[in-house]
Amino acid sequence: MPIRKRSNILLALSLLSVFVMSATVVDGSLSRKRDHSNPIINTATLDSTEMSFREYMGFVKAHHPIAKQAQLVIDGGQANLLRSRGGFDPKIEVDYSRKEFKGTEYYDELNGMFKIPTWYGVEFKAGVERNEGTFLDPSNTVPVDGLYNAGVSVNLGQGFLINDRMATLRKAKIYNEQSQVDRDLLVNAVLYEAAIAYFKWWQIHEEYKVYDRFYENAQQRLKAIKRSVELGDKAAIDSVEAGIASQKRALSREEARIKLVKQRLDLSNFLWINEVPVELQPDVIPQSNVNDDIDATLEIFGFQLNEFTIENHPKLRSINFKIDQLDIDRKLKANKLLPKLTLEYNFLTPEWNQANSILNSNYKAGLNFSMPLFFRKERGDLRLAKIKVADAQYDLAATQLEIKNKVTSIFNELESYEVQVGMITNIVESSKIMLTGEERKFELGESSLFLINSREVKLIDSKLKEINTYKKFFISKANLFKSLAVMPENL
C-alpha cells in the first residue's frame, strides 16, 4: 500500500472517536478516503499514526464550523443583492372602495395600476378606472366600460441621477463582492489559529520525547550503578544520586505528559467531521518534520518581500469596498439637496384594444414640486456622510501602513530565526559530544555521576531551546500567512 494512502487511513482510524454519531463502527476500527467529506468503513490494526500538518489543515478548512460559517457571508451578500433588485420589480396596485347607505349606492370606485420602475427616476404606468355611484365625484366620472390610461412619471430634480433604489442596488453589488473578501479573511483567521494550535502540539510532543528518552537513559544508568554498587565498584552514594536523577526525569516526563494531554484537547477544538466534533486520540502524533510542509500548505512558498503588493491585500480591498458604499451614500445625500420635481403624463382612452383611440387631446398630466427653505436636515446628512468617508479613508491609510510594516517585520524575524536555528542546532550537537565524552570518562573512572548529570541537564536545556526556537520559527511563518491574508486553494 502506498505510504501516503496508508497515512490517510491510519489518521482517520485514530481521529474518529466513538462519539462521532454519523460514523459506523466495524470491528472497532474506522478509516476514511482522501476526500474528507466521505468517511468510509474499513478495518485495520495499528499502535500509533502520524497526522501531517497538511492533512490537519485540510480537515479544518473542510469541516470547521467557522470555516463553513464564513460561506454564509457570501450567501448573505447574494440574498441582499436579490432583495435590492426587488426595488425594480414591476408592481400591480388595486384600489377599490365602495359606500352604500340606506339602499343608496354613494360610490363604487375601482382603480387598477401596473407600474414598471426603471434605473433612473422614470416610471412607466398603465391602468384602468371604473367608477359609478349616485354621489360620485364628478372628476371621477368615466365611461361605462371604464377609462384606460398609459403614461410615464419622471423625477426631474431629486431622484433622477440617483435615488434610494439605485443607491441600495449599487451598495448591494459592492457588498456582494466584499462578502467574498470577508469570507477569505474569516477562513484565513481560523486556519491561522488552527496552525498555532498544531505548532504548540508539535512542541509539547517533541519535549515529551526528550524527557522520555532521558528518563529511559536515567533508568538504565540507575540499574548499571546499582549493579556496580553490588559488585563493589561504585560507592553506595552514587546509587542515591542516580536515583534522584531518575526521579527528576520521571517528574519532568509526567509534567510534559499532562501538558500534551491538554494541548491535544485544545487541538481537538479544530477537528470536526460532518458537523460533529472529533476527539483526537492519544495514539495520534504530529508530523516530526513539519517544517518541510508549512510553506507549501500555507501557500507562502517562495514568497519574497519585493513581490508583495499592498494594493491587492484582502483587508484593504474590504475597506475599499466599504469606502465605495459610503461614497454612494454621500452622492445620495448630495442629491437630496435638489428640489423634488415630478412630472407625470398619461394618455387616456375608453377602448384599450384600439390604438387609434389614443389622442393627444385625451390626457391626464400633473406636476409636483417641493423644496425645504433651509435644507438643514439635508446639509447635515451630507456632512455626516462626508465624515464617514473621510474616517474610512484614514482607516485605510493606517491599515495599509500597519500591514506593510507587519510583513516587513515578519520577514526580518524569519531571517533571524533561520540563523538562530542553525546556532542552537550546533549547540545541541556540541552538548551531545560533551555528554558522550563525560560518559566515557566515567566508565574509565575519571569522572563522576554529578558531572554526567550536569552535562545531561545542559543537553536537555539545549534540546528544549532548539524545539522552542523551531516553534517560534513556525509561528512566524503562520504570522506571515495571516498578515498576507492567504486563502489556501489546494487544501
Side-chain angles (χ1 to χ4, degrees):
M1 178 183 295
I3 296 177
R4 188 66 174 177
K5 184 174 180 181
R6 186 176 187 274
S7 175
N8 293 337
I9 295 176
L10 300 183
L11 171 63
L13 285 169
S14 298
L15 276 177
L16 294 179
S17 67
V18 294
F19 301 105
V20 181
M21 306 303 298
S22 60
T24 303
V25 180
V26 176
D27 295 335
S29 302
L30 294 172
S31 184
R32 64 172 177 84
K33 291 182 179 179
R34 182 64 179 177
D35 183 2
H36 304 303
S37 62
N38 184 23
I40 60 172
I41 301 172
N42 197 359
T43 58
T45 302
L46 67 154
D47 297 326
S48 65
T49 185
E50 181 180 273
M51 180 169 65
S52 70
F53 180 64
R54 170 175 284 277
E55 290 172 326
Y56 163 74
M57 295 294 283
F59 264 104
V60 175
K61 183 183 177 184
H63 300 288
H64 195 277
I66 295 181
K68 291 187 174 182
Q69 184 181 12
Q71 181 62 33
L72 297 179
V73 177
I74 294 181
D75 297 340
Q78 294 173 349
N80 186 52
L81 179 60
L82 178 63
R83 182 183 64 179
S84 301
R85 285 174 173 163
F88 294 90
D89 288 346
K91 298 179 180 179
I92 297 178
E93 297 179 359
V94 178
D95 183 11
Y96 175 73
S97 60
R98 174 185 174 88
K99 180 178 179 181
E100 186 172 338
F101 183 68
K102 293 183 179 181
T104 302
E105 183 183 57
Y106 278 63
Y107 57 81
D108 188 305
E109 298 177 348
L110 174 65
N111 189 350
M113 186 69 65
F114 178 70
K115 298 179 180 180
I116 303 177
T118 60
W119 179 250
Y120 293 100
V122 180
E123 187 175 64
F124 295 99
K125 303 178 180 180
V128 59
E129 287 184 77
R130 289 187 179 181
N131 306 320
E132 59 184 5
T134 304
F135 297 101
L136 185 68
D137 188 327
S139 64
N140 292 332
T141 302
V142 296
V144 177
D145 294 332
L147 185 64
Y148 300 90
N149 63 80
V152 63
S153 175
V154 182
N155 293 319
L156 298 177
Q158 186 182 129
F160 179 68
L161 295 178
I162 186 171
N163 52 50
D164 291 331
R165 287 197 305 254
M166 295 166 59
T168 301
L169 182 55
R170 286 178 178 176
K171 289 193 295 182
K173 290 180 178 179
I174 295 173
Y175 179 76
N176 189 42
E177 296 182 30
Q178 182 185 9
S179 64
Q180 300 181 28
V181 178
D182 290 343
R183 187 275 309 268
D184 293 347
L185 290 173
L186 288 173
V187 174
N188 175 270
V190 70
L191 290 178
Y192 168 77
E193 296 295 336
I196 297 299
Y198 187 94
F199 298 150
K200 291 181 179 179
W201 180 44
W202 173 88
Q203 176 195 16
I204 297 173
H205 179 266
E206 291 297 315
E207 290 177 352
Y208 177 79
K209 287 169 57 179
V210 171
Y211 288 124
D212 184 64
R213 182 170 66 252
F214 282 99
Y215 169 74
E216 295 296 333
N217 292 343
Q219 285 289 94
Q220 294 178 5
R221 188 180 299 120
L222 176 60
K223 292 179 181 179
I225 291 178
K226 284 183 176 180
R227 180 62 177 168
S228 298
V229 170
E230 293 174 356
L231 297 175
D233 296 335
K234 299 290 183 182
I237 193 66
D238 287 340
S239 65
V240 175
E241 185 170 358
I244 294 175
S246 177
Q247 292 174 2
K248 287 183 177 180
R249 302 294 181 266
L251 179 61
S252 298
R253 187 181 71 164
E254 180 62 18
E255 291 174 347
R257 188 189 69 81
I258 294 300
K259 290 171 63 179
L260 185 59
V261 171
K262 293 174 61 178
Q263 187 57 40
R264 188 182 294 116
L265 292 174
D266 289 342
L267 193 75
S268 297
N269 293 332
F270 296 93
L271 293 174
W272 296 69
I273 294 180
N274 296 332
E275 301 180 1
V276 178
V278 177
E279 182 180 349
L280 192 66
Q281 297 300 298
D283 57 354
V284 180
I285 62 176
Q287 179 180 354
S288 57
N289 57 338
V290 62
N291 189 44
D292 296 342
D293 284 352
I294 293 178
D295 291 356
T297 301
L298 300 181
E299 297 186 9
I300 57 174
F301 183 79
F303 184 83
Q304 301 296 327
L305 182 60
N306 55 9
E307 298 175 356
F308 178 56
T309 54
I310 193 75
E311 293 79 9
N312 294 327
H313 194 279
K315 191 171 184 179
L316 298 182
R317 290 178 60 198
S318 180
I319 297 177
N320 276 319
F321 285 134
K322 177 183 177 181
I323 292 176
D324 291 341
Q325 294 180 66
L326 292 174
D327 193 57
I328 292 175
D329 277 333
R330 180 193 62 80
K331 292 178 180 179
L332 180 62
K333 297 300 188 293
N335 185 261
K336 298 290 186 181
L337 294 174
L338 297 176
K340 292 182 179 179
L341 179 60
T342 303
L343 176 63
E344 183 175 354
Y345 187 90
N346 294 279
F347 295 100
L348 302 176
T349 177
E351 299 176 353
W352 63 272
N353 57 351
Q354 296 185 13
N356 57 4
S357 65
I358 299 178
L359 303 175
N360 292 334
S361 59
N362 298 328
Y363 67 90
K364 181 174 67 172
L367 179 66
N368 181 275
F369 175 83
S370 67
M371 182 184 72
L373 294 180
F374 301 110
F375 285 103
R376 283 183 290 196
K377 178 181 181 300
E378 290 75 10
R379 287 188 289 117
D381 289 341
L382 178 59
R383 187 177 300 176
L384 289 174
K386 289 181 178 179
I387 291 173
K388 290 181 181 180
V389 172
D391 180 70
Q393 289 175 339
Y394 286 132
D395 185 33
L396 176 65
T399 305
Q400 185 174 4
L401 180 61
E402 179 183 352
I403 293 175
K404 182 179 179 181
N405 290 339
K406 182 68 174 179
V407 172
T408 303
S409 173
I410 292 174
F411 266 95
N412 293 330
E413 192 177 74
L414 287 172
E415 292 178 358
S416 175
Y417 278 129
E418 288 179 353
V419 176
Q420 292 181 44
V421 165
M423 295 174 64
I424 191 62
T425 300
N426 291 334
I427 293 175
V428 170
E429 293 301 322
S430 299
S431 298
K432 288 180 180 179
I433 294 174
M434 295 297 294
L435 176 60
T436 302
E438 202 66 46
E439 289 175 339
R440 290 178 179 176
K441 290 172 64 178
F442 180 77
E443 293 173 356
L444 298 175
E446 298 178 0
S447 183
S448 65
L449 190 59
F450 173 79
L451 291 177
I452 290 180
N453 289 334
S454 298
R455 297 292 186 189
E456 195 173 67
V457 168
K458 291 181 179 179
L459 175 58
I460 292 174
D461 291 342
S462 299
K463 187 62 179 176
L464 296 180
K465 179 67 174 178
E466 180 186 36
I467 295 172
N468 188 52
T469 303
Y470 267 108
K471 185 205 70 172
K472 292 180 179 179
F473 185 37
F474 300 159
I475 291 179
S476 291
K477 292 186 176 184
N479 289 334
L480 179 62
F481 166 77
K482 183 180 180 181
S483 297
L484 298 176
V486 177
M487 176 61 175
E489 300 293 338
N490 298 320
L491 283 179

